[in-house]
Amino acid sequence: MKRRINRTITYIMAVFVLFFTAVSLLSGENVVSPRKTIRIGIIENAGSVNISCEGGFSVRDEKNNREMKLDSRKVYLVSARAGGIGINNKILGGSIRIYSLNDKNRLRVNGRKYRGDLRIALKRGKKLTVINKLGLEEYLYGVLPREISPEWPVEAMKTQAVVSRTYAARNMGKHNSKGYDLSATVFCQVYGGLQCEDERSNKAVDATEGEVIYYKGELISAVFHSTCGGFTEKSSNVWETNSSPGYLKCVRCPYCRKSPRYSWKKTIKKETIRKKLNKSGYKVGRIHKIKVAGRASFSKRAININVYHDAGKLSIPSNKFRIAVGADIVKSTMVKLKNYPDEIKYVGRGWGHGVGLCQWGAKGMAERGYKYLKIIRKYFPGTKINK
Ligand SMILES: [Zn+2]
């Protein structure tokens, strides 16, 4: 009996699959395409959050599948409580879904508007994680204005749209263990929800809908940074891997000169550097001097940094050094160092790790009339763009 039911279910499913495949073939859609929805961790470790909606909305307790209508005129305090998630004075299970009853009415989290719906989960019995689930293209609407200025030329925005889409598609499930795909921070891609959307950048997303970058049939690792400073970098020189994929190599970039971070200077106290290194787990005593050890060909980026201190010598990959001291202080590894008694003077070029797309370079190319496909293939040589 059971087997017969299973067989029937399999049969019904097969009919469905055939039907939808036929429909999508007829409509000219790609049958095999990256997943169309994405889960973004927008808030983590919160004690409580305020939730409201522009119209009628609902909460579903995922424990017993019970649903409760919510009032559009109210702001609800959703909080971590002993034994579950509190919504005003009601206690629900450890995982709830909140959604708008009409797609036109948007949800608000702490006053910020978001597309799609929300999942709120109780972590370790005392903190809340808020996850925004929405369409991949809608997600990109909320990424673009955070990653580049919506005032930039259209072709630069289209470039960023394709690169950010590829990044998201390739990194789907990166934070599965936390219940979402990507975070909304610089560690993934910065995402600001509907609140930060701009008409111009939304158009750039629409104009490139579904387009992603491939290399030898695989989605690429679509990394990007603000300003390369003249040359992008081979990924192995930055992330200490044994080899670099063919599309992440050193590319000459004469296009980012207008970036305010094309060249910079910074003086940092040795004591500050010592404290920052210690905080990141590198045990160093009083610093005597800091020297570059090994430079990349072409770009001359520092590969390693030697820190001579009271208790010996610390040799550290320069990108790790940069992040430990502060990526907004030591802006890149394309640096020259000068040692003074108490401080180090940095003379540098560019901002960011320098691998993959140079955003200011893309802007410069767009201003010179290059189209986005050309720009992408400049910074990711040998790649193809497909839907
Ligand atoms: Zn550049």
Side-chain angles (χ1 to χ4, degrees), residues 228-230 253 256 358 361 379:
C228 75
C253 168
C256 57
C358 166
Y379 293 99

Side-chain angles (χ1 to χ4, degrees), residues 213-220 384 386:
I213 314 167
Y214 290 93
Y215 182 78
K216 293 184 177 166
E218 267 182 52
L219 281 171
I220 68 159
K384 286 196 174 112
N386 279 321

Side-chain angles (χ1 to χ4, degrees), residues 225-232 253-256 358 360-361 379:
H225 58 277
S226 162
T227 308
C228 75
F231 286 94
T232 67
C253 168
Y255 301 109
C256 57
C358 166
W360 275 85
Y379 293 99

Side-chain angles (χ1 to χ4, degrees), residues 232-241 244 296 301-303 317-320 322-323 333 352-355:
T232 67
E233 194 55 72
K234 213 160 92 171
S235 60
S236 58
N237 281 342
V238 177
W239 294 312
E240 311 145 70
T241 46
S244 306
R301 274 190 182 79
I303 294 180
S318 68
N319 196 52
K320 282 193 171 152
R322 182 175 85 86
I323 290 163
T333 58
H353 50 61
V355 186

Side-chain angles (χ1 to χ4, degrees), residues 153 155-156 255 362-372 374-375:
E155 296 300 318
Y255 301 109
K363 179 179 185 266
M365 284 186 82
E367 284 165 353
R368 283 169 178 78
Y370 289 100
K371 300 281 184 239
Y372 74 103
K374 198 99 192 199
I375 301 174

